[in-house]
Amino acid sequence: MSEAEIIRQGIHLAAMANRVWDEPLFPRTFEGPGRTTSEAEARDAVAADSETYE
């Protein structure tokens, strides 16, 4: 990787770190069961949410 590319990436990261976003990164929060969800539960939640946007 060239020195110019390293500098370009550094400037890009610095600009993104100071950016103010108009909307939150996560559009909503979920009430959790107090434990880590299984892979199947996570997959089902994502599939159900994606059907909302279709």
Side-chain angles (χ1 to χ4, degrees), residues 4-21:
E5 182 65 16
I6 294 170
I7 293 170
R8 187 196 70 75
Q9 285 184 354
I11 292 169
H12 175 74
L13 290 174
M16 294 301 290
N18 291 319
R19 178 167 181 191
V20 177
W21 300 94

